[in-house]
Amino acid sequence: MIHGLFIIGGGINGCGIARDAAGRGLSVFLAEQGDLASGTSSASTKLIHGGLRYLEHYEFRLVREALIEREVLLKAAPHIIWPLRFVLPHHAGLRPRPILRLGLFLYDHLGGRKILPPTRSVDLRSDVVGQPLKDEYARGYEYSDCWVQDSRMVALNARDAATRGAVIRTRTRCTRARRVDGVWEMTLESEGGSSETVRAKVLINAGGPWVSQVLGEVVGRADPDRIRMVKGSHIVVERLYDHDRCYIFQNADGRICFAIPYEQDFTLIGTTDEDYKGDPGKPHITEAEADYLLASVSEYFKRPVTRAMVRWTYSGIRPLYDDGASKAQEATRDYVLKLDHPEGEAPLLSVFGGKITTFRKLSEHALEKLAPFFPGLGKPWTASAHLPGGDFPYDQVEEQIASLRKAYSFLPRREAERLFRTFGTDAEKMLAGARFAKDLGQSFGPLSEREAQWLIDKEWARAPEDILWRRSKLGLHMPVAEQSALRDWFARQPAHA
Ligand SMILES: Cc1cc2nc3c(=O)[nH]c(=O)nc-3n(C[C@H](O)[C@H](O)[C@H](O)COP(=O)(O)OP(=O)(O)OC[C@H]3O[C@@H](n4cnc5c(N)ncnc54)[C@H](O)[C@@H]3O)c2cc1C
């Protein structure tokens, strides 16, 4: 069989393109060398945002597209995406107030905002959001963006793609791709050691930080286009304050740093921006990065944030298009799609850059470029479609959680909320028939055997880490004993292809 598209990479861009293409009737095969979202797409700051800072670099196209996407995606997946208000304290020594006001005015108006509330100025001496901050911060602004559970969005795109006929193969590396008789021929090697050959009309390289490596080592190109790998690290600390808003702090070096309410009990702080040369699969936070983040937020919070408060860290690589910028923070955040189509040869489309926020538009643009090779290709459709579990109005989350609790009265409020924020309307399907907690099988603390099985069957979870750190963030909440019980249970499960 010859597929329409073969996609290398199960991050947000590969899975987004797979979903869009499958929904337009193409036969799609996606190979991911690790778990879904095991690359950059689980290591983001998890914002669906226009990127206020990018206005300073005149990235108006990107900011406008991303601002519009906030509400499109909020409606598509209101279980895993929610509105978030950002508090920007004014710092007398940094950007002048008129510049901030102009930036926020543009931010409010560039993207046709309808749902998200507008910017307001805040008196930090009287408003609750000023309480955790040092007294010298008297004035500030509050504006809107959204939050997303990044790795869940990848899994839901993959699920939707598979429902529409795409083959999604995880833990399967594409080791070689060559043009043979007018089509692409790929060699795949699975983690278990088996290999297979797959053919497709078009090859999509959505390898994220591996995109150049794929061009060189897999496709065999002598002069692959370069990306700039820019590492960003985050720290997760004990919860620093009680309200539900996020802070955006300006640092003396011109960068910004977020402090975001995270997983109920924590605050997420990030990020750094450092050129990176190592293995894209193994970025780690350095002591200097951790110190930088702790110092950045301690400049603003009354209570210093210290090493002892750090509970977890993660790092990821931004696969930015190399536009020759001198500083990492100045490299373009916009994406570039490069089509390689020598006369009469099978096309190759490579994806450089691309934010979580813009994956849907990136996917549409990718298919627009490929339309000439697929006469009769379906029209764009994802702007008004829901992701799995997201088929309810974006402003009805509380009602949905209440109805889940009514149907499954054994669920504590916090658990019902977590399940709904994970599965949306699919939570009912996952829990179907259960009358008591024991009906969900073995319990690993907040996680049940039923949920783990769902994640294996429907979301390609193949190891405890896939569940603890990507399908959920339960790894932050479950003590060692519960995690060990999950590992033991996993070891007893039959192997999945
Ligand atoms: C620190 C940081 C913060 C960020 N914050 C935000 C944010 O708040 N909001 C936002 O919108 N964006 C943010 N981004 C950007 C966003 O996370 C990335 O641009 C996006 O996740 C890239 O997705 P991708 O699919 O291109 O790459 P990836 O997610 O890395 O996916 C590529 C996949 O390809 C696979 N692969 C590679 N080679 C092969 C092969 N030979 N065979 C099979 N599979 C292969 C890899 O295993 C990997 O899973 C942030 C990025 C970073 C690093």
Side-chain angles (χ1 to χ4, degrees):
M1 163 176 192
I2 298 177
H3 293 276
L5 295 187
F6 183 89
I7 301 173
I8 298 178
I12 191 63
N13 289 323
C15 292
I17 295 171
R19 170 190 184 228
D20 193 341
R24 296 192 203 203
L26 292 186
S27 139
V28 176
F29 194 117
L30 181 147
E32 161 55 50
Q33 63 188 355
D35 180 25
L36 294 173
S38 54
T40 308
S41 297
S42 55
S44 80
T45 311
K46 306 172 202 315
L47 302 179
I48 296 290
H49 65 157
L52 186 57
R53 194 170 67 77
Y54 310 147
L55 287 175
E56 285 183 331
H57 299 284
Y58 309 110
E59 301 231 33
F60 294 113
R61 191 214 74 80
L62 171 66
V63 175
R64 183 174 151 70
E65 182 173 289
L67 286 171
I68 296 171
E69 279 305 283
R70 293 179 308 183
E71 296 191 5
V72 174
L73 295 177
L74 175 62
K75 284 190 253 177
H79 49 328
I80 58 161
I81 297 178
W82 55 89
L84 190 59
R85 294 288 282 172
F86 287 68
V87 177
L88 170 62
H90 178 243
H91 188 306
L94 300 174
R95 293 165 184 88
R97 205 175 294 155
I99 295 286
L100 291 180
R101 267 210 298 266
L102 173 65
L104 288 164
F105 176 82
L106 287 173
Y107 208 70
D108 263 357
H109 292 91
L110 267 179
R113 186 181 44 78
K114 292 198 183 73
I115 300 171
L116 300 172
T119 298
R120 66 171 185 116
S121 52
V122 199
D123 182 344
L124 297 173
R125 286 162 307 195
S126 56
D127 197 291
V128 65
V129 297
Q131 282 171 11
L133 303 181
K134 289 182 181 166
D135 294 338
E136 64 210 71
Y137 299 105
R139 301 275 300 275
Y141 301 94
E142 195 188 273
Y143 69 93
S144 290
D145 265 324
C146 290
W147 170 262
V148 62
Q149 303 187 48
D150 53 5
S151 43
R152 287 215 53 72
M153 189 146 81
V154 178
L156 295 183
N157 270 279
R159 231 187 110 196
D160 207 21
T163 306
R164 295 168 197 277
V167 178
I168 307 288
R169 205 56 77 69
T170 63
R171 292 182 158 81
T172 302
R173 190 167 142 73
C174 177
T175 53
R176 187 182 156 88
R178 290 292 183 274
R179 291 175 165 115
V180 179
D181 299 333
V183 297
W184 282 99
E185 194 171 277
M186 273 67 57
T187 308
L188 307 186
E189 283 177 15
S190 79
E191 215 175 60
S194 61
S195 74
E196 91 186 276
T197 302
V198 176
R199 289 181 188 78
K201 262 180 93 169
V202 172
L203 172 62
I204 296 194
N205 174 6
W210 290 262
V211 64
S212 301
Q213 196 176 314
V214 166
L215 283 173
E217 293 171 18
V218 178
V219 178
R221 280 255 300 264
D223 59 339
D225 299 87
R226 298 263 151 237
I227 51 160
R228 186 161 186 168
M229 293 204 281
V230 176
K231 181 172 65 155
S233 297
H234 293 82
I235 54 177
V236 173
V237 299
E238 296 158 8
R239 191 164 83 178
L240 297 177
Y241 54 88
D242 288 332
H243 62 77
D244 61 357
R245 274 154 284 172
C246 147
Y247 292 99
I248 169 170
F249 295 139
Q250 306 174 73
N251 297 347
D253 61 2
R255 298 198 61 259
I256 46 134
C257 185
F258 295 104
I260 310 173
Y262 189 53
E263 288 283 314
Q264 283 139 325
D265 307 326
F266 304 95
T267 302
L268 173 66
I269 297 171
T271 171
T272 54
D273 250 319
E274 281 194 1
D275 278 313
Y276 181 79
K277 299 274 178 250
D279 178 345
K282 296 200 169 66
H284 289 296
I285 191 167
T286 59
E287 301 232 328
E289 284 179 284
D291 288 342
Y292 172 87
L293 293 172
L294 293 168
S296 301
V297 291
S298 297
E299 173 78 20
Y300 285 84
F301 285 120
K302 275 186 192 137
R303 184 163 72 113
V305 188
T306 63
R307 285 247 168 158
M309 294 156 85
V310 176
R311 291 289 164 267
W312 186 51
T313 68
Y314 65 87
S315 304
I317 307 294
R318 301 177 180 87
L320 304 182
Y321 188 67
D322 194 351
D323 62 354
S326 54
K327 287 193 194 160
Q329 71 196 75
E330 285 167 4
T332 181
R333 262 43 177 180
D334 210 345
Y335 54 82
V336 173
L337 300 174
K338 284 216 156 179
L339 184 63
D340 171 41
H341 179 229
E343 192 58 37
E345 300 268 24
L348 161 66
L349 185 79
S350 297
V351 176
F352 298 88
K355 300 184 61 61
I356 296 272
T357 308
T358 50
F359 84 92
R360 197 195 63 79
K361 286 300 289 181
L362 182 151
S363 306
E364 279 187 356
H365 286 141
L367 286 163
E368 201 177 295
K369 277 193 176 283
L370 298 178
F373 309 108
F374 297 106
L377 180 72
K379 293 204 178 336
W381 60 278
T382 53
S384 55
H386 295 288
L387 280 161
D391 52 340
F392 64 94
Y394 67 86
D395 53 358
Q396 299 276 308
V397 172
E398 282 308 316
E399 290 80 349
Q400 295 282 332
I401 293 172
S403 113
L404 190 66
R405 284 200 78 194
K406 207 164 159 210
Y408 300 94
S409 53
F410 60 87
L411 288 176
R413 156 85 210 181
R414 185 172 158 131
E415 204 34 41
E417 190 173 333
R418 182 186 75 76
L419 288 176
F420 191 76
R421 284 297 188 188
T422 304
F423 299 108
T425 53
D426 279 348
E428 289 255 14
K429 292 178 201 141
M430 193 273 286
L431 294 166
R435 292 182 49 234
F436 306 100
K438 68 176 171 46
D439 296 334
L440 300 178
Q442 190 177 340
S443 157
F444 314 101
L447 178 75
S448 67
E449 184 175 354
R450 173 86 68 93
E451 182 178 350
Q453 194 61 56
W454 172 283
L455 294 172
I456 291 173
D457 294 344
K458 307 242 189 292
E459 296 193 12
W460 297 271
R462 295 291 177 268
E465 276 59 36
D466 303 352
I467 292 182
L468 294 172
W469 297 107
R470 285 179 288 276
R471 304 308 177 279
S472 77
K473 287 290 179 287
L474 285 170
L476 270 171
H477 302 279
M478 284 165 56
V480 175
E482 288 172 359
Q483 296 194 25
S484 306
L486 176 66
R487 279 177 226 292
D488 292 345
W489 176 84
F490 241 97
R492 296 195 302 272
Q493 299 313 300
H496 282 73

